[in-house]
Amino acid sequence: MGKRVGVLMGGWGEEREISLKTGEAVVAALETLGHTVTRVFAGPGLDRALRAADIEVAFLALHGRMGEDGRVQGLLELLEIPYTGSGVLASALAMDKPMAKKLFQLHNLATPRGYRVAREDAERALELHGDNGFPCVVKPAKGGSSVGLSVVHDAGALVPAVAQACRFGGEALVERFVKGQEVTVGILGDSVLGSCEVAFPREGFDYEAKYKGGTQYFLPPRLSDTRRVNVESLALAAYRALGCRGYGRVDLLCSDTENDVVLEVNTLPGFTPTSLLPKIAARAGLDFPALVQGVLDRATRDESHVTEAAPVAPVPLRIAR
C-alpha cells in the first residue's frame, strides 16, 4: 500500500535551486509508485507546515546547510515523523567537513591534510597555512554542491579564496591538493551500490562543472578491479565511521601515487538528472523509481532505535552522620 509522503524541498541556503529539482524528481517517482505525495517547502514556519501536512514519512530532498546538517532531522525527531537518510548526529558530523576529517583520522582512514579558518581569521590565512604548501583546495567548511570551492596555486590568492568560502557558512576548510581521479561511491542501506569516476573539464569539481555540463562520467571508474574494490571499501568505512544510515554518497580521490583518500560523505546526495547516485544505481540495476523506493523503505528515526529501559529501583538515601 502507498504511504502519505511529504517531500521536503527548497530550504534556506545556496543549494535551494538544486533541492527543488531533486524534490520534483522524487515527487514524480513517488507518485508513479502509488504513494500520496505532499510537497513541503522548507523555510520559515517549517514546523507548522509539517504539522499541517498529515504525512506518515518525510522524504528529505534538501541539500546543504539547514537541511543536511541535522537541524531538520532534529525537528522531525521532535515531531515523531520518520525521515529518509542519516540521523541527527551523523548528519551534523558529515556536514562539518573538518570534524568529519578528525573522525576519519581516528578510524585510520586516509584524508587530505587540512585545517579550519573562521571568517574573522581570514586575513590571517597565510599565517595559519604554515608549511602546508601550494596548490591547495579551499571550500566552505559546511556546505555542498561544491559551492565556493577554489584551487589556490600561490600565496597571493589564499586570503581571497578563504574569504569567498567563508561567505557560505562563516568558515573555510583549506586542504592539501591531491592530484588524481575523483571517484564517488554510492551506498544504499549498508551496502555499496557501485562507484563512478568524475572527470571534470577544469581543475576542481566546482558548482559550474557539476551542474552546467562538460563533465565526463566513467562507470565503473578507470581503475583496476582490485583498486576499485579497495576504494569502495574505504568509502563504506568512512560512511560507517560517521554513523550514517539509509543511503549516501562518498567522494574520494585516487592519487597518481596509488594512495586513495576520503574527501567527504554526502548524507543527502542529489536526485537531479545529472546526479551521481542515480547514475550509479542505474548501472547496478536500480532504475530511478526503484532507488527512490529503496531510500523510502529505509526511512526511520533515531528514537526508534532506542529500546525502553527496564525500571530502575530507587536507591535508598543515606545521610552521613
Side-chain angles (χ1 to χ4, degrees), residues 109-238:
L109 306 176
T111 187
R113 177 179 174 181
Y115 60 94
R116 186 194 302 260
V117 184
R119 177 186 284 123
E120 56 269 24
D121 294 324
E123 294 297 325
R124 297 178 51 236
L126 269 176
E127 174 190 341
L128 297 171
H129 196 69
D131 61 354
N132 280 280
F134 296 94
C136 63
V137 178
V138 181
K139 54 191 173 185
K142 300 178 182 180
S145 291
S146 301
V147 174
L149 180 147
S150 57
V151 179
V152 175
H153 290 273
D154 56 70
L158 181 61
V159 170
V162 168
Q164 166 72 5
C166 286
R167 291 179 53 214
F168 305 100
E171 293 181 317
L173 171 64
V174 183
E175 287 183 314
R176 181 174 62 86
F177 179 82
V178 177
K179 184 179 180 182
Q181 298 159 264
E182 181 154 336
V183 174
T184 191
V185 177
I187 297 171
L188 182 62
D190 196 46
S191 301
V192 170
L193 281 175
S195 52
C196 172
E197 179 187 345
V198 183
F200 30 85
R202 54 184 171 273
E203 199 173 51
F205 190 30
D206 59 10
Y207 184 92
E208 293 292 318
K210 186 173 286 189
Y211 296 111
K212 299 301 177 66
T215 300
Q216 291 181 289
Y217 306 98
F218 297 92
L219 294 97
R222 295 173 294 180
L223 302 168
S224 69
D225 287 345
T226 300
R227 192 173 184 193
R228 176 184 54 78
V229 169
N230 288 339
V231 167
E232 291 176 353
S233 296
L234 177 59
L236 186 58

Side-chain angles (χ1 to χ4, degrees), residues 5-290:
V5 184
V7 178
L8 275 66
M9 64 178 83
W12 297 259
E14 54 278 354
E15 297 178 68
R16 177 180 171 81
E17 177 186 349
I18 304 304
S19 172
L20 292 172
K21 291 180 179 179
T22 287
E24 290 301 333
V26 169
V27 167
L30 289 170
E31 290 179 339
T32 298
L33 292 163
H35 299 290
T36 301
V37 184
T38 301
R39 293 171 177 82
V40 181
F41 293 98
L46 176 59
D47 58 328
R48 295 189 295 275
L50 285 167
R51 288 187 175 95
D54 187 29
I55 59 175
E56 295 176 81
V57 59
F59 196 112
L60 301 187
L62 299 167
H63 303 308
R65 292 181 295 112
M66 294 292 289
E68 198 170 350
D69 58 6
R71 285 185 258 193
V72 168
Q73 290 79 2
L75 173 61
L76 291 164
E77 292 285 344
L78 292 173
L79 295 176
E80 299 184 352
I81 299 173
Y83 54 91
T84 56
S86 291
V88 177
L89 179 59
S91 299
L93 291 171
M95 180 55 61
D96 190 324
K97 295 181 179 68
M99 185 59 69
K101 289 174 77 69
K102 291 182 180 180
L103 285 170
F104 298 153
Q105 291 163 350
L106 283 173
H107 286 79
N108 295 316
L109 306 176
T111 187
R113 177 179 174 181
Y115 60 94
R116 186 194 302 260
V117 184
R119 177 186 284 123
E120 56 269 24
D121 294 324
E123 294 297 325
R124 297 178 51 236
L126 269 176
E127 174 190 341
L128 297 171
H129 196 69
D131 61 354
N132 280 280
F134 296 94
C136 63
V137 178
V138 181
K139 54 191 173 185
K142 300 178 182 180
S145 291
S146 301
V147 174
L149 180 147
S150 57
V151 179
V152 175
H153 290 273
D154 56 70
L158 181 61
V159 170
V162 168
Q164 166 72 5
C166 286
R167 291 179 53 214
F168 305 100
E171 293 181 317
L173 171 64
V174 183
E175 287 183 314
R176 181 174 62 86
F177 179 82
V178 177
K179 184 179 180 182
Q181 298 159 264
E182 181 154 336
V183 174
T184 191
V185 177
I187 297 171
L188 182 62
D190 196 46
S191 301
V192 170
L193 281 175
S195 52
C196 172
E197 179 187 345
V198 183
F200 30 85
R202 54 184 171 273
E203 199 173 51
F205 190 30
D206 59 10
Y207 184 92
E208 293 292 318
K210 186 173 286 189
Y211 296 111
K212 299 301 177 66
T215 300
Q216 291 181 289
Y217 306 98
F218 297 92
L219 294 97
R222 295 173 294 180
L223 302 168
S224 69
D225 287 345
T226 300
R227 192 173 184 193
R228 176 184 54 78
V229 169
N230 288 339
V231 167
E232 291 176 353
S233 296
L234 177 59
L236 186 58
Y239 174 88
R240 290 171 173 169
L242 301 184
C244 297
R245 68 164 184 247
Y247 72 116
R249 207 193 73 227
V250 184
D251 296 337
L252 309 95
L253 275 169
C254 303
S255 80
D256 298 341
T257 58
E258 296 293 315
N259 294 316
D260 306 317
V261 295
V262 179
L263 294 178
E264 61 183 88
V265 177
N266 302 277
T267 55
L268 293 180
F271 276 73
T272 69
T274 59
S275 294
L276 298 169
L277 184 61
K279 293 178 187 293
I280 293 169
R283 190 174 188 280
L286 284 177
D287 63 15
F288 188 76

